[in-house]
Amino acid sequence: MTRESLALVAALSAGAGVHLLTRSRRTRPCHRVAPFADWMRQAGIEGVKPIEFVVVEVVVLLGTTALFFVVFGAVVPAVAAGFGALAAPLATYRNRRSRLGEIARNAWPSLLEELRLEVGTLGRSVPAALLDVGRRAPTEPMRAAFSAAHREWLLSTDFARVVRMLQDRLADPTADTVLETLLVASEIGGTDIDQRLARLLADRQTDLRHRHEARSRQAGVRFARWFVLIVPFAMALVGLGIGDGRAAYREPTGQLVAGLAVTFVVGCWWWSAAILRLPEERRIARLTAGISP
């Protein structure tokens, strides 16, 4: 092969490589984070591996089964209670995620008010004001995300890249909506940016007010859920001391009835949780996905 042919092949290979790299940067997916890692990040527990979650589930299963077997002396209700308790770690992470999400959702209106003041009155740019306001957020995951985004802004001054980073770190539908709106407002600019921020603030306040009203109406039902969960277990404990109650749990019929009762209580608990769960905003596909950093 001649020197000219080698040069031509090398040039074509380099051009193809540049094309593939450029295409991969333009068409990368909206959410790079794995679903499990994304879910744990929303719960404020970043870095938990799936195998660690499985280990916790196994420990809960074995521990609960052993406890119920010691108390009732019956295999079937103990196993049913053990499998029902598998929902406990999931519910714990879900509740933590929901609580942190609620705190973040409540914080956005005040953050937007401060942002509007700094942009409209002090004349600061949207990126600088957002990063400064965000570092005073009420939760540690939010503050850590904004601190990392601030470092990225100092290095690149690319607001689209900063928005992508914040969306990945915050992993929250409300943050997605606010950040995309702020990005568009920053790129369009103009004299009506204060009006855009005012409309965004009003939208977040309306959503927050509706959620608070819905939760206040559910207070009595949430108390009833715990009451219904505790009462059957208490009655079963009382039954152990009445006559040959403990021996009755060891009978095949007693084990079957107790196992069905445990299954029914756990099923009703999760069914009521699904009914009471407020609808969550879905994360939006990023407008910045096609913007190359």
Short mmCIF file of all heavy atoms in Angstrom, two decimals, residues 166-201:
data_model
loop_
_atom_site.label_atom_id
_atom_site.label_comp_id
_atom_site.label_asym_id
_atom_site.label_seq_id
_atom_site.Cartn_x
_atom_site.Cartn_y
_atom_site.Cartn_z
N LEU A 166 -27.76 19.44 37.25
CA LEU A 166 -28.72 19.61 38.33
C LEU A 166 -29.89 18.64 38.18
O LEU A 166 -30.37 18.08 39.17
CB LEU A 166 -29.24 21.05 38.35
CG LEU A 166 -28.30 22.10 38.94
CD1 LEU A 166 -28.86 23.50 38.74
CD2 LEU A 166 -28.09 21.84 40.43
N GLN A 167 -30.35 18.42 36.96
CA GLN A 167 -31.45 17.48 36.76
C GLN A 167 -31.06 16.07 37.15
O GLN A 167 -31.85 15.33 37.74
CB GLN A 167 -31.91 17.53 35.30
CG GLN A 167 -32.67 18.80 34.95
CD GLN A 167 -33.03 18.86 33.48
OE1 GLN A 167 -32.26 18.44 32.63
NE2 GLN A 167 -34.19 19.41 33.18
N ASP A 168 -29.83 15.68 36.83
CA ASP A 168 -29.37 14.35 37.20
C ASP A 168 -29.18 14.22 38.71
O ASP A 168 -29.50 13.18 39.29
CB ASP A 168 -28.05 14.03 36.49
CG ASP A 168 -28.26 13.72 35.02
OD1 ASP A 168 -29.38 13.31 34.64
OD2 ASP A 168 -27.31 13.89 34.24
N ARG A 169 -28.65 15.26 39.35
CA ARG A 169 -28.38 15.18 40.78
C ARG A 169 -29.65 15.31 41.61
O ARG A 169 -29.81 14.61 42.61
CB ARG A 169 -27.38 16.27 41.18
CG ARG A 169 -25.99 16.14 40.60
CD ARG A 169 -25.27 14.93 41.18
NE ARG A 169 -25.06 15.09 42.61
CZ ARG A 169 -23.95 15.60 43.15
NH1 ARG A 169 -22.97 16.00 42.38
NH2 ARG A 169 -23.82 15.67 44.46
N LEU A 170 -30.56 16.20 41.20
CA LEU A 170 -31.79 16.39 41.97
C LEU A 170 -32.81 15.29 41.69
O LEU A 170 -33.55 14.90 42.59
CB LEU A 170 -32.39 17.76 41.66
CG LEU A 170 -31.55 18.97 42.07
CD1 LEU A 170 -32.21 20.26 41.60
CD2 LEU A 170 -31.35 19.00 43.58
N ALA A 171 -32.86 14.81 40.44
CA ALA A 171 -33.75 13.70 40.06
C ALA A 171 -35.17 13.93 40.56
O ALA A 171 -35.76 13.07 41.21
CB ALA A 171 -33.19 12.37 40.60
N ASP A 172 -35.72 15.09 40.23
CA ASP A 172 -37.03 15.47 40.77
C ASP A 172 -37.85 16.12 39.66
O ASP A 172 -37.34 16.98 38.94
CB ASP A 172 -36.85 16.43 41.94
CG ASP A 172 -38.16 16.91 42.51
OD1 ASP A 172 -38.92 16.08 43.04
OD2 ASP A 172 -38.44 18.12 42.41
N PRO A 173 -39.13 15.75 39.50
CA PRO A 173 -39.94 16.34 38.44
C PRO A 173 -40.11 17.85 38.58
O PRO A 173 -40.10 18.57 37.57
CB PRO A 173 -41.29 15.62 38.57
CG PRO A 173 -40.98 14.35 39.27
CD PRO A 173 -39.84 14.67 40.19
N THR A 174 -40.29 18.33 39.81
CA THR A 174 -40.43 19.78 40.01
C THR A 174 -39.17 20.51 39.58
O THR A 174 -39.22 21.56 38.92
CB THR A 174 -40.74 20.08 41.48
OG1 THR A 174 -41.95 19.42 41.86
CG2 THR A 174 -40.92 21.58 41.70
N ALA A 175 -38.01 19.95 39.95
CA ALA A 175 -36.74 20.56 39.54
C ALA A 175 -36.60 20.55 38.03
O ALA A 175 -36.11 21.52 37.44
CB ALA A 175 -35.58 19.83 40.20
N ASP A 176 -37.02 19.46 37.38
CA ASP A 176 -36.97 19.41 35.92
C ASP A 176 -37.76 20.55 35.29
O ASP A 176 -37.28 21.25 34.40
CB ASP A 176 -37.55 18.08 35.41
CG ASP A 176 -36.62 16.90 35.70
OD1 ASP A 176 -35.44 17.15 36.01
OD2 ASP A 176 -37.08 15.76 35.61
N THR A 177 -38.98 20.76 35.78
CA THR A 177 -39.84 21.81 35.23
C THR A 177 -39.23 23.19 35.45
O THR A 177 -39.17 24.02 34.52
CB THR A 177 -41.23 21.73 35.88
OG1 THR A 177 -41.79 20.44 35.65
CG2 THR A 177 -42.15 22.80 35.31
N VAL A 178 -38.79 23.45 36.67
CA VAL A 178 -38.24 24.76 36.99
C VAL A 178 -36.96 25.03 36.20
O VAL A 178 -36.78 26.12 35.62
CB VAL A 178 -37.96 24.86 38.51
CG1 VAL A 178 -37.20 26.15 38.83
CG2 VAL A 178 -39.27 24.82 39.30
N LEU A 179 -36.07 24.06 36.15
CA LEU A 179 -34.78 24.26 35.49
C LEU A 179 -34.93 24.44 33.98
O LEU A 179 -34.25 25.28 33.39
CB LEU A 179 -33.85 23.09 35.80
CG LEU A 179 -33.39 22.99 37.26
CD1 LEU A 179 -32.67 21.68 37.51
CD2 LEU A 179 -32.49 24.17 37.62
N GLU A 180 -35.82 23.66 33.36
CA GLU A 180 -36.04 23.83 31.93
C GLU A 180 -36.62 25.22 31.64
O GLU A 180 -36.25 25.87 30.67
CB GLU A 180 -36.98 22.74 31.40
CG GLU A 180 -36.39 21.35 31.39
CD GLU A 180 -35.29 21.17 30.36
OE1 GLU A 180 -35.05 22.11 29.57
OE2 GLU A 180 -34.66 20.10 30.36
N THR A 181 -37.55 25.66 32.48
CA THR A 181 -38.13 26.99 32.28
C THR A 181 -37.08 28.08 32.45
O THR A 181 -37.04 29.04 31.67
CB THR A 181 -39.29 27.22 33.27
OG1 THR A 181 -40.24 26.15 33.15
CG2 THR A 181 -39.98 28.53 33.02
N LEU A 182 -36.23 27.94 33.45
CA LEU A 182 -35.18 28.94 33.68
C LEU A 182 -34.16 28.94 32.54
O LEU A 182 -33.65 29.99 32.16
CB LEU A 182 -34.48 28.67 35.01
CG LEU A 182 -35.33 28.89 36.27
CD1 LEU A 182 -34.53 28.52 37.51
CD2 LEU A 182 -35.80 30.34 36.36
N LEU A 183 -33.87 27.75 32.00
CA LEU A 183 -32.94 27.68 30.88
C LEU A 183 -33.49 28.42 29.66
O LEU A 183 -32.79 29.21 29.01
CB LEU A 183 -32.65 26.22 30.53
CG LEU A 183 -31.77 25.99 29.30
CD1 LEU A 183 -30.38 26.60 29.50
CD2 LEU A 183 -31.66 24.50 28.99
N VAL A 184 -34.76 28.16 29.36
CA VAL A 184 -35.39 28.85 28.22
C VAL A 184 -35.43 30.35 28.46
O VAL A 184 -35.13 31.15 27.55
CB VAL A 184 -36.80 28.28 27.97
CG1 VAL A 184 -37.52 29.09 26.91
CG2 VAL A 184 -36.72 26.82 27.54
N ALA A 185 -35.80 30.76 29.68
CA ALA A 185 -35.85 32.19 30.00
C ALA A 185 -34.49 32.83 29.87
O ALA A 185 -34.35 33.97 29.40
CB ALA A 185 -36.41 32.39 31.40
N SER A 186 -33.44 32.11 30.28
CA SER A 186 -32.09 32.65 30.20
C SER A 186 -31.64 32.79 28.75
O SER A 186 -30.98 33.78 28.39
CB SER A 186 -31.12 31.76 30.97
OG SER A 186 -29.79 32.19 30.81
N GLU A 187 -31.99 31.81 27.91
CA GLU A 187 -31.55 31.86 26.52
C GLU A 187 -32.32 32.91 25.71
O GLU A 187 -31.76 33.57 24.85
CB GLU A 187 -31.71 30.48 25.89
CG GLU A 187 -30.73 29.44 26.43
CD GLU A 187 -30.87 28.11 25.73
OE1 GLU A 187 -31.91 27.90 25.07
OE2 GLU A 187 -29.95 27.29 25.83
N ILE A 188 -33.62 33.03 26.00
CA ILE A 188 -34.42 34.02 25.27
C ILE A 188 -34.10 35.43 25.74
O ILE A 188 -33.98 36.37 24.95
CB ILE A 188 -35.92 33.72 25.44
CG1 ILE A 188 -36.25 32.39 24.76
CG2 ILE A 188 -36.77 34.83 24.85
CD1 ILE A 188 -37.69 31.98 24.92
N GLY A 189 -33.95 35.59 27.08
CA GLY A 189 -33.65 36.91 27.62
C GLY A 189 -34.80 37.87 27.44
O GLY A 189 -35.98 37.48 27.50
N GLY A 190 -34.50 39.14 27.22
CA GLY A 190 -35.54 40.14 27.01
C GLY A 190 -35.94 40.83 28.29
O GLY A 190 -35.46 40.53 29.39
N THR A 191 -36.84 41.77 28.15
CA THR A 191 -37.27 42.57 29.30
C THR A 191 -38.39 41.92 30.09
O THR A 191 -38.72 42.40 31.18
CB THR A 191 -37.75 43.95 28.80
OG1 THR A 191 -38.83 43.76 27.87
CG2 THR A 191 -36.62 44.70 28.13
N ASP A 192 -38.99 40.85 29.56
CA ASP A 192 -40.11 40.21 30.25
C ASP A 192 -39.68 39.01 31.07
O ASP A 192 -40.51 38.17 31.42
CB ASP A 192 -41.18 39.77 29.25
CG ASP A 192 -40.64 38.74 28.25
OD1 ASP A 192 -39.40 38.65 28.12
OD2 ASP A 192 -41.47 38.05 27.65
N ILE A 193 -38.39 38.91 31.41
CA ILE A 193 -37.94 37.76 32.18
C ILE A 193 -38.56 37.75 33.57
O ILE A 193 -38.83 36.69 34.15
CB ILE A 193 -36.40 37.73 32.25
CG1 ILE A 193 -35.93 36.41 32.84
CG2 ILE A 193 -35.87 38.91 33.05
CD1 ILE A 193 -34.44 36.18 32.72
N ASP A 194 -38.80 38.95 34.13
CA ASP A 194 -39.44 39.01 35.44
C ASP A 194 -40.86 38.45 35.38
O ASP A 194 -41.31 37.77 36.31
CB ASP A 194 -39.48 40.46 35.94
CG ASP A 194 -40.05 40.56 37.34
OD1 ASP A 194 -39.37 40.13 38.29
OD2 ASP A 194 -41.19 41.06 37.49
N GLN A 195 -41.59 38.70 34.29
CA GLN A 195 -42.93 38.15 34.13
C GLN A 195 -42.88 36.63 34.00
O GLN A 195 -43.76 35.92 34.53
CB GLN A 195 -43.61 38.77 32.92
CG GLN A 195 -43.81 40.28 33.02
CD GLN A 195 -44.44 40.85 31.76
OE1 GLN A 195 -44.81 40.11 30.85
NE2 GLN A 195 -44.56 42.18 31.71
N ARG A 196 -41.87 36.10 33.32
CA ARG A 196 -41.74 34.65 33.19
C ARG A 196 -41.50 34.02 34.57
O ARG A 196 -42.08 32.98 34.90
CB ARG A 196 -40.58 34.31 32.26
CG ARG A 196 -40.79 34.77 30.82
CD ARG A 196 -39.56 34.48 29.99
NE ARG A 196 -39.68 35.02 28.65
CZ ARG A 196 -40.25 34.38 27.63
NH1 ARG A 196 -40.72 33.16 27.81
NH2 ARG A 196 -40.33 34.94 26.43
N LEU A 197 -40.63 34.65 35.34
CA LEU A 197 -40.37 34.13 36.68
C LEU A 197 -41.61 34.22 37.56
O LEU A 197 -41.87 33.33 38.37
CB LEU A 197 -39.20 34.89 37.31
CG LEU A 197 -37.83 34.70 36.65
CD1 LEU A 197 -36.79 35.58 37.33
CD2 LEU A 197 -37.41 33.24 36.70
N ALA A 198 -42.37 35.29 37.40
CA ALA A 198 -43.60 35.45 38.19
C ALA A 198 -44.61 34.36 37.85
O ALA A 198 -45.27 33.80 38.74
CB ALA A 198 -44.20 36.83 37.95
N ARG A 199 -44.75 34.03 36.56
CA ARG A 199 -45.68 32.97 36.17
C ARG A 199 -45.21 31.61 36.67
O ARG A 199 -46.02 30.77 37.10
CB ARG A 199 -45.85 32.95 34.65
CG ARG A 199 -46.66 34.13 34.11
CD ARG A 199 -47.08 33.89 32.67
NE ARG A 199 -45.94 33.87 31.78
CZ ARG A 199 -45.48 34.94 31.13
NH1 ARG A 199 -46.07 36.13 31.30
NH2 ARG A 199 -44.44 34.84 30.31
N LEU A 200 -43.90 31.37 36.62
CA LEU A 200 -43.36 30.12 37.12
C LEU A 200 -43.60 30.00 38.63
O LEU A 200 -43.98 28.93 39.13
CB LEU A 200 -41.87 30.04 36.82
CG LEU A 200 -41.12 28.81 37.34
CD1 LEU A 200 -41.70 27.53 36.74
CD2 LEU A 200 -39.62 28.92 37.02
N LEU A 201 -43.40 31.09 39.35
CA LEU A 201 -43.64 31.10 40.79
C LEU A 201 -45.11 30.83 41.10
O LEU A 201 -45.43 30.03 42.00
CB LEU A 201 -43.21 32.44 41.37
CG LEU A 201 -43.53 32.69 42.85
CD1 LEU A 201 -42.86 31.65 43.73
CD2 LEU A 201 -43.10 34.11 43.25
#
